[in-house]
Amino acid sequence: QQQVKQSPQSLIVQKGGISIINCAYENTAFDYFPWYQQFPGKGPALLIAIRPDVSEKKEGRFTISFNKSAKQFSLHIMDSQPGDSATYFCAASGAPPSYGKLTFGQGTILTVHP
Amino acid sequence: EAGVVQSPRYKIIEKKQPVAFWCNPISGHNTLYWYLQNLGQGPELLIRYENEEAVDDSQLPKDRFSAERLKGVDSTLKIQPAELGDSAVYLCASSNGGTGGRETQYFGPGTRLLVL
């Protein structure tokens, strides 16, 4: 059972554009929603994370928007740069049995053209 | 500060052979995770350790996979015998706990396994 669904699978944007990646979850026990960034040959690295008690969190050019009622959250990358080209994964974890267990989406391959 | 260290980085074996992966977590991190990442997919948790205790191994195929974390530091993941479908990247991650399962997990670079 895939508990976190991510879209799109791939995304191409021009430098300076906005990249938007969406995720939807099913398990209402989830209460922690991180986004990870992965470059080829590297492990995933935490980019930004949100708890469901807020609807938005911004860190630099990266913003998470969270809609608890719709069970959806999204990552917005403003002023996208070629260096942002990577695979992005949303994830979720929370109360048992999800405690300490990150459930990842399938990933989005982002390509930013110069 | 050194990150999570994994070795080997690449491994090619023939099916039915055994293979082992090693992980050294970030110093002081008491929680260690092994994930499996298939090509084009997100990581999937295999096992989670709190110190030397495996607290979640529900996704570990125990007929062929085993893991240990002696002394609560380094960890080894073993497959015996390997099957073609085991070809994937095996990721190790660690965290320092204390925030109810919502702490940052730091990933190593992974071991890419190819079973022929």
Side-chain angles (χ1 to χ4, degrees):
Chain A
Q1 179 188 12
Q2 182 181 358
Q3 296 193 55
V4 180
K5 295 183 179 180
Q6 184 172 346
S7 63
Q9 283 188 305
S10 61
L11 180 62
I12 299 174
V13 300
Q14 293 298 124
K15 178 181 176 181
I18 302 174
S19 303
I20 302 174
I21 304 170
N22 301 298
C23 283
Y25 63 97
E26 301 169 3
N27 188 344
T28 55
F30 288 150
D31 65 357
Y32 173 66
F33 302 90
W35 284 88
Y36 278 78
Q37 179 188 56
Q38 185 175 29
F39 292 103
K42 305 291 186 182
L46 179 68
L47 191 61
I48 187 173
I50 197 169
R51 295 285 300 274
D53 52 346
V54 297
S55 60
E56 185 174 283
K57 182 175 182 180
K58 183 177 181 179
E59 292 184 359
R61 297 185 293 108
F62 302 92
T63 300
I64 299 178
S65 297
F66 186 83
N67 185 328
K68 187 174 181 179
S69 62
K71 294 188 287 185
Q72 296 176 346
F73 58 110
S74 60
L75 175 69
H76 295 233
I77 305 175
M78 310 300 288
D79 188 26
S80 298
Q81 299 297 311
D84 296 331
S85 297
T87 300
Y88 292 81
F89 294 97
C90 61
S93 70
S98 302
Y99 183 89
K101 172 184 177 180
L102 283 175
T103 298
F104 285 85
Q106 290 188 306
T108 296
I109 301 173
L110 172 64
T111 303
V112 181
H113 286 313
Chain B
E1 179 184 85
V4 176
V5 179
Q6 291 188 247
S7 69
R9 292 295 313 278
Y10 305 92
K11 189 73 176 180
I12 300 175
I13 62 172
E14 293 187 347
K15 63 181 180 181
K16 301 185 181 180
Q17 295 299 306
V19 64
F21 315 124
W22 176 80
C23 173
N24 180 241
I26 293 173
S27 177
H29 282 192
N30 60 325
T31 307
L32 184 145
Y33 314 77
W34 282 103
Y35 286 86
L36 166 69
Q37 186 174 26
N38 287 304
L39 185 65
Q41 302 291 320
E44 300 173 39
L45 181 69
L46 289 172
I47 189 169
R48 176 169 69 95
Y49 282 93
E50 295 287 347
N51 298 304
E52 65 273 12
E53 181 183 1
V55 296
D56 183 357
D57 63 356
S58 58
Q59 302 301 311
L60 189 71
K62 298 180 183 62
D63 56 336
R64 298 184 299 107
F65 286 66
S66 64
E68 61 181 11
R69 191 184 184 196
L70 301 177
K71 301 182 181 179
V73 181
D74 295 1
S75 178
T76 302
L77 178 68
K78 298 178 181 179
I79 308 175
Q80 182 172 9
E83 298 178 352
L84 296 177
D86 296 331
S87 296
V89 175
Y90 292 83
L91 293 164
C92 179
S94 70
S95 66
N96 60 8
T99 55
R102 301 165 190 86
E103 61 274 10
T104 299
Q105 296 185 23
Y106 296 86
F107 284 81
T111 296
R112 185 176 298 276
L113 173 67
L114 179 61
V115 182
L116 302 176

